[in-house]
């Protein structure tokens, strides 16, 4: 009985090693790995305090409509157009960010199985991101960490999807990804889905961050949805571990459940 169980575990390990060999995962940062809501909330509250104004409720501040009022340039607090200061969220408030529950064991399991990992963000903050990852003990899991800070000087003004595409293609080269290898892109926004389509990757959406607003079906939506990045290792390595990845077209989950 014990010998049989041992042989079974050995087969499972070899199967996982075969699955992970030649596999690359490109992960988004904000809303996928990083819960940035406390960073953003503190940033907005501090701007209101500096202007001697009362901030709106937290739920309004962290809502998507509030964010779009910033990115459009409409929102001003006192004499400050918030869009002009929004990079402070990353530059000054990153220590208040946290990785989502389950992210650390998922990253550790993937890296330990030999999966190549790259983190790609269309926002700024490469060094701040690396410092955060070091604090969680997972910096060494990533073969590459890149943000808008790493774009060429002539890339100013690129959309999120275009910036991610330039960065991700460079990151894939750096981590040793080859044509024919398995490739996954994981994120919470339409820009992540578009990146995955451009890279011919399997797109995994997460319901954290802005993931609740992802389009409902491919090709505009992801191929699979996870509640959070916590289930990523089980999906990519084929172990399942009780995680259900739901195809967004309403079909059966297939091998994602096994």
């Amino acid at each position: 009985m014990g010998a049989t169980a041992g042989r079974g575990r050995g087969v499972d390990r070899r199967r996982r090693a075969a699955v992970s060999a030649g596999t690359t995962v490109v992960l988004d940062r904000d809303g996928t790995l990083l819960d940035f809501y406390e960073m953003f909330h503190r940033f907005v509250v501090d701007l209101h305090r500096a202007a001697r104004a009362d901030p709106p409720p937290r739920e309004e501040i962290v809502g998507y409509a509030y964010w779009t009022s910033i990115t459009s340039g409409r929102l001003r607090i006192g004499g400050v157009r918030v869009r002009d200061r929004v990079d402070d969220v990353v530059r000054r408030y990153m220590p208040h960010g946290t990785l989502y529950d389950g992210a650390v064991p998922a990253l550790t399991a993937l890296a330990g199985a030999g999966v190549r990992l790259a983190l790609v963000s269309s926002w700024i903050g490469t060094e701040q991101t690396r410092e955060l990852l070091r604090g969680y003990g997972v910096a060494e899991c990533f073969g590459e960490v890149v943000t808008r800070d790493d774009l060429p000087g002539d890339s100013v003004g690129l959309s999120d999807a275009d910036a991610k595409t330039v960065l991700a293609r460079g990151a894939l080269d750096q981590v040793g990804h080859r044509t024919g290898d398995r490739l996954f892109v994981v994120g919470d926004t339409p820009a992540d889905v578009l990146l995955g389509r451009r890279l011919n990757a399997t797109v995994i959406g997460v319901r954290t961050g802005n993931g609740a607003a992802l389009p409902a079906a491919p090709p505009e939506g992801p191929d699979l949805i996870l509640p959070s990045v916590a289930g990523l290792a089980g999906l990519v390595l084929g172990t399942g571990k009780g995680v259900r990845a739901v195809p967004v077209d309403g079909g059966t989950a297939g091998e994602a459940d096994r």
Side-chain angles (χ1 to χ4, degrees):
M1 182 75 168
T4 301
R7 285 195 297 273
R9 287 193 294 270
V11 170
D12 287 344
R13 284 194 293 270
R14 288 194 294 274
R15 185 174 71 86
R16 288 196 294 272
V19 167
S20 60
T23 299
T24 306
V25 178
V26 176
L27 292 120
D28 168 57
R29 183 186 67 189
D30 306 319
T32 300
L33 281 177
L34 174 65
D35 183 347
F36 61 92
Y37 286 134
E38 182 61 22
M39 299 162 52
F40 185 65
H41 179 254
R42 286 175 180 255
F43 161 73
V44 172
V45 168
D46 284 351
L47 285 179
H48 279 85
R49 285 175 176 166
R52 299 181 181 275
D54 293 328
R58 179 186 173 91
E59 57 268 23
E60 179 180 339
I61 292 174
V62 301
Y64 187 69
Y66 197 85
W67 173 251
T68 57
S69 73
I70 293 174
T71 57
S72 68
R74 298 193 311 272
L75 183 64
R76 290 180 176 272
I77 299 175
V80 175
R81 186 171 68 167
V82 180
R83 187 176 67 182
D84 297 338
R85 296 275 298 276
V86 75
D87 285 351
D88 284 355
V89 176
V90 176
R91 299 283 191 224
R92 297 179 53 198
Y93 293 87
M94 184 68 87
H96 299 290
T98 57
L99 297 188
Y100 283 107
D101 288 345
V104 169
L107 295 171
T108 302
L110 288 167
V115 175
R116 297 175 295 245
L117 299 178
L119 186 153
V120 175
S121 175
S122 58
W123 205 358
I124 62 166
T126 301
E127 289 307 316
Q128 290 85 353
T129 303
R130 288 175 175 158
E131 183 63 27
L132 181 76
L133 296 174
R134 282 192 289 269
Y136 278 91
V138 292
E140 297 303 316
C141 293
F142 290 91
E144 186 71 313
V145 174
V146 286
T147 74
R148 193 174 285 264
D149 288 342
D150 303 295
L151 286 172
D154 59 356
S155 300
V156 176
L158 287 181
S159 68
D160 285 350
D162 288 345
K164 284 189 171 185
T165 301
V166 172
L167 292 166
R169 285 176 174 156
L172 291 178
D173 288 341
Q174 288 296 316
V175 300
H177 182 79
R178 299 178 297 270
T179 301
D181 289 347
R182 298 166 75 227
L183 178 61
F184 297 88
V185 169
V186 187
D188 69 311
T189 69
D192 300 311
V193 177
L194 181 53
L195 170 63
R197 301 293 173 233
R198 289 174 174 177
L199 298 179
N200 295 316
T202 298
V203 182
I204 301 173
V206 291
R207 288 302 190 195
T208 50
N210 293 312
L214 282 171
E220 291 81 10
D223 300 304
L224 293 166
I225 289 283
L226 287 171
S228 75
V229 75
L232 184 61
L235 176 57
V236 172
L237 299 178
T239 60
K241 294 192 180 293
V243 174
R244 182 172 179 82
V246 181
V248 294
D249 61 4
T252 58
E255 65 178 284
D257 287 321
R258 296 199 290 270

